[in-house]
Amino acid sequence: MRIDLRIIDQWIKPGSRVLDLGCGDGTLLRYLTDHKNVHAYGLEISPAGIQACVAKGVNVIEQNLDDGLKNFDDDSFDTVIMSQTLQTMRYPKAMLAEMTRIGKEGIVTIPNFGHWRARLQLLFKGRMPVSDLLPYEWYDTPNIHFCTFLDFEILCAEMNLEVVDKAVVAERSRGKGLSQLNPNLFGETGIFRVRK
Amino acid sequence: MANAFPENSVGLVRPEVFHFDTPLTLANGRQLAHYDLVVETYGQLNAAKSNGVLICHALSGHHHAAGYHTEEDRKAGWWDHYIGPGKPIDTNRFFVVSLNNLGGCHGSTGPQSINPETGEPWGADFPTLRVRDWVATQHRLMQRLGISQWAAVVGGSLGGMQAMRWSLEYPDCLRHCVVIASAMKLSAQNIAFNETARQAIFSDPDFASGHYLKQGSQPTRGLSVARMIGHITYLSDDGMGKKFGRELRSGSFEQGNEEPVEFQIESYLRHQGNSFSKTFDANTYVLMTRALDYFDLAREYNHDPVAAFRNAKSKFLVISFTSDWRFSPERSREIVNALTRAGRDLAYAEIESPFGHDAFLVPNQPRYEALFRSYMQGISI
């Protein structure tokens, strides 16, 4: 189980209604369904992801998140999750607003563009950062809206969203211990729990 | 020699007639004293009788969904690519039941049958049917087979409507509901196409107000045009363009050449219409298109599909095809939204396909096949 998924799991109430935006291969949905007895739906756009979800027997709906979420009612879910997907959205701010409209609570996982290695690459090499976490070149990356942890929290404040919990993951590089000290410099993945 | 059939075929199959003599009160209030249903089955019913899968056919379908009728037969059933050993509806696991619906023209009681009150063919006097009437007769068939719950009820198009109706009328009698290229109700445009097709039939003098059998005629011209209209709507503009384009079958546009020009698509459509009109009954076509028009899943639930699906207990697989404009993906998304709001378990996929509405029947579509197979494999029996 990926560490970020374990942290998400801690924030999910047993038996609650969960919507996973960009649910991928359904790993989190399967885990939450089995261990938390949640009633969950995943939205996914990739055929491979949908196929994997069906094979896992989790509820999956083919939907392009960029087309909006008008088909979901206000407060119709306890938690809406968006794991490693916000930065691929055409309109991340609108998506964040939609998430918190549909869910009583939102959980957002984002890669940190303010990580020290990213900063060093840009500063010394003068090139857009490419790493094992962000392995794409600028011209073919699905991640079209990068932000740092700080940027994300500023946006939340602007939108009057309360960050009730956050966790930082830094596994793959040096600075694991430092990530708690200065998450915006050493954290790789940030997990934010937000409420209206 | 049985080994002449492909290995993954159910092989030689024999239709069976089931007679029912408990009177059936139809949705329109009329009563049928007795009726026959012609049925094919593939695979073996297990000891627990938990592996039954019901196939609901579409507008022009029938009981012969898979396999072959004779050793010489080279034309397999209409869904043979998807039913058989190792196929998405795997007959090594499932006991598959496929019938010709009431009102049909392939052996089940319908307009061609004899009206016991008059001793003559029913013709246009055969009662109008609604989807729920089919589901009621399918339920009786299930009981006759000793099955108390289907592992799945599966249908495309009009068949998908039957599957959805099953989930509401007999929620305890199915564990999975597979709805392919279907809709909760037809649009005005859809009804318009059906009415145009019916008018083509009515306008054929040989139709004789639906009593053509009595006078020994067949409205093949009208039925043929009806089928041509339908057929156009089952294909996509793009698919038709790729297959036929503006290719000529005969004639030319050379200067000075007055030989009549015929496009490939004209000859193809006429062929489709002609061959259909020789094997299908016009009154059945009218009856089936009307059942399509009348279907409205949520009518009796105060037109609230969410309230309707709250009655369902099964899990759902919903599939649509991108180029299907007769039952567009939007119609399937309406089903999915209602199911989600009602809290039902489901999987929904929109399959990229150039084959229009007919896509659900077309073989060699890897994503559709893999998804369908995977869902069916996940059904515990």
Side-chain angles (χ1 to χ4, degrees):
Chain A
M1 187 76 180
R2 258 164 44 199
I3 187 159
D4 54 329
L5 302 185
R6 274 212 304 272
I7 291 165
I8 292 173
D9 176 53
Q10 289 169 15
W11 294 342
I12 300 288
K13 282 190 277 302
S16 58
R17 258 173 85 85
V18 173
L19 180 66
D20 187 356
L21 304 176
C23 63
D25 66 3
T27 301
L28 177 65
L29 287 177
R30 186 71 263 166
Y31 185 82
L32 293 176
T33 307
D34 292 343
H35 296 88
K36 283 283 169 76
N37 191 31
V38 297
H39 194 227
Y41 297 90
L43 303 191
E44 181 53 41
I45 191 169
S46 89
I50 292 161
Q51 174 72 32
C53 287
V54 168
K56 285 189 177 75
V58 298
N59 293 327
V60 63
I61 297 166
E62 178 160 346
Q63 186 166 336
N64 182 354
L65 301 177
D66 277 332
D67 292 343
L69 295 168
K70 287 194 171 61
N71 51 328
F72 291 95
D73 302 327
D74 295 2
D75 292 320
S76 52
F77 286 87
D78 295 300
T79 309
V80 179
I81 301 169
M82 199 169 217
S83 178
Q84 302 285 358
T85 304
L86 190 67
Q87 76 281 357
T88 68
M89 294 287 96
R90 185 134 168 67
Y91 303 105
K93 186 179 174 183
M95 182 49 65
L96 201 54
E98 279 293 86
M99 273 184 82
T100 46
R101 173 185 68 79
I102 296 161
K104 293 172 185 134
E105 197 166 279
I107 296 175
V108 181
T109 303
I110 50 166
N112 181 20
F113 212 62
H115 188 262
W116 64 273
R117 281 183 25 175
R119 296 193 201 191
L120 286 185
Q121 280 191 39
L122 190 56
L123 183 63
F124 289 114
K125 284 194 184 164
R127 296 200 55 191
M128 290 301 280
V130 176
S131 68
D132 52 350
L133 261 180
L134 309 167
Y136 303 97
E137 292 289 347
W138 64 275
Y139 48 81
D140 67 358
T141 178
N143 304 314
I144 56 174
H145 281 115
F146 271 125
C147 66
T148 69
F149 292 172
L150 192 58
D151 287 327
F152 181 77
E153 292 197 59
I154 289 170
L155 176 63
C156 288
E158 221 177 83
M159 295 174 69
N160 288 321
L161 297 177
E162 185 194 354
V163 178
V164 285
D165 239 324
K166 59 184 169 184
V168 177
V169 180
E171 281 196 292
R172 302 184 204 201
S173 61
R174 273 164 278 169
K176 198 170 174 177
L178 296 171
S179 67
Q180 303 308 317
L181 208 63
N182 188 340
N184 201 39
L185 190 56
F186 295 105
E188 287 164 359
T189 302
I191 311 165
F192 299 86
R193 189 177 175 190
V194 298
R195 270 186 214 146
K196 282 168 284 213
Chain B
M1 40 181 220
N3 57 9
F5 299 126
E7 230 171 77
N8 62 351
S9 160
V10 297
L12 204 58
V13 295
R14 187 174 306 165
E16 231 184 301
V17 177
F18 287 74
H19 182 74
F20 295 83
D21 49 18
T22 310
L24 177 76
T25 303
L26 301 167
N28 70 0
R30 286 175 68 180
Q31 214 180 49
L32 277 180
H34 52 81
Y35 54 92
D36 291 341
L37 295 177
V38 59
V39 179
E40 282 182 8
T41 67
Y42 322 112
Q44 296 295 321
L45 186 61
N46 62 9
K49 301 189 173 184
S50 63
N51 68 335
V53 170
L54 176 69
I55 306 296
C56 303
H57 70 72
L59 181 59
S60 56
H62 44 68
H63 55 284
H64 185 38
Y68 302 85
H69 278 164
T70 64
E71 297 289 353
E72 296 73 37
D73 195 355
R74 286 293 159 264
K75 195 172 177 295
W78 58 268
W79 224 13
D80 191 76
H81 295 290
Y82 293 93
I83 303 170
K87 290 177 182 174
I89 301 174
D90 188 350
T91 50
N92 289 331
R93 287 189 77 218
F94 295 116
F95 173 65
V96 180
V97 177
S98 175
L99 77 158
N100 183 210
N101 277 331
L102 188 67
C105 53
H106 293 88
S108 292
T109 298
Q112 289 178 318
S113 312
I114 301 297
N115 179 351
E117 281 170 27
T118 63
E120 289 184 326
W122 281 95
D125 294 335
F126 194 81
T128 309
L129 297 176
R130 299 186 200 159
V131 168
R132 62 177 62 252
D133 295 321
W134 289 331
V135 171
T137 53
Q138 291 160 1
H139 185 252
R140 287 187 177 182
L141 173 64
M142 178 186 91
Q143 290 173 322
R144 178 76 63 88
L145 293 166
I147 297 171
S148 57
Q149 186 187 61
W150 300 109
V153 177
V154 180
S157 190
L158 178 58
M161 292 172 167
Q162 294 159 55
M164 286 188 282
R165 186 57 80 200
W166 259 98
S167 77
L168 304 184
E169 289 297 303
Y170 305 103
D172 294 311
C173 295
L174 66 160
R175 297 196 297 284
H176 293 267
C177 182
V178 179
V179 183
I180 308 172
S182 193
M184 294 192 288
K185 58 185 174 193
L186 291 195
S187 65
Q189 188 194 48
N190 248 322
I191 296 171
F193 280 123
N194 284 343
E195 173 59 8
T196 311
R198 284 189 293 265
Q199 287 301 330
I201 293 171
F202 299 156
S203 66
D204 186 334
D206 284 335
F207 183 65
S209 303
H211 294 289
Y212 44 88
L213 288 180
K214 262 186 250 177
Q215 67 167 44
S217 66
Q218 282 289 338
T220 49
R221 285 167 299 167
L223 185 55
S224 174
V225 174
R227 183 58 174 178
M228 287 166 76
I229 295 164
H231 202 86
I232 296 166
T233 70
Y234 304 147
L235 305 179
S236 74
D237 184 20
D238 193 39
M240 225 187 228
K242 283 206 178 93
K243 195 166 170 187
F244 304 102
R246 294 177 51 84
E247 289 297 308
L248 298 186
R249 186 176 163 81
S250 59
S252 96
F253 290 110
E254 257 173 68
Q255 282 291 335
N257 187 335
E258 63 164 6
E259 197 191 331
V261 159
E262 188 186 30
F263 288 95
Q264 286 287 2
I265 183 65
E266 298 179 75
S267 123
Y268 168 80
L269 268 186
R270 270 206 312 277
H271 173 73
Q272 291 294 327
N274 279 335
S275 51
F276 182 78
S277 69
K278 291 191 183 96
T279 57
F280 210 83
D281 178 64
N283 282 316
T284 289
Y285 200 80
V286 170
L287 179 151
M288 298 259 175
T289 55
R290 285 202 165 125
L292 255 177
D293 292 356
Y294 298 164
F295 184 76
D296 183 346
L297 180 102
R299 188 187 286 118
E300 66 186 291
Y301 300 90
N302 210 11
H303 293 281
D304 178 1
V306 182
F309 280 129
R310 281 204 189 99
N311 295 285
K313 292 180 177 170
S314 62
K315 296 186 177 197
F316 289 78
L317 171 65
V318 182
I319 295 176
S320 69
F321 299 92
T322 50
S323 59
D324 183 353
W325 55 283
R326 188 85 197 251
F327 288 76
S328 70
E330 188 53 36
R331 300 284 83 75
S332 285
R333 282 196 289 268
E334 287 164 3
I335 298 170
V336 168
N337 288 339
L339 286 170
T340 313
R341 289 190 169 108
R344 298 282 77 88
D345 285 326
L346 79 148
Y348 169 60
E350 233 168 86
I351 308 288
E352 179 90 33
S353 168
F355 300 115
H357 185 54
D358 267 353
F360 79 96
L361 301 165
V362 176
N364 304 321
Q365 299 183 86
R367 190 187 168 201
Y368 172 41
E369 211 173 304
L371 192 91
F372 197 0
R373 179 192 309 272
S374 195
Y375 187 88
M376 295 304 292
Q377 279 173 345
I379 295 177
S380 50
I381 53 173

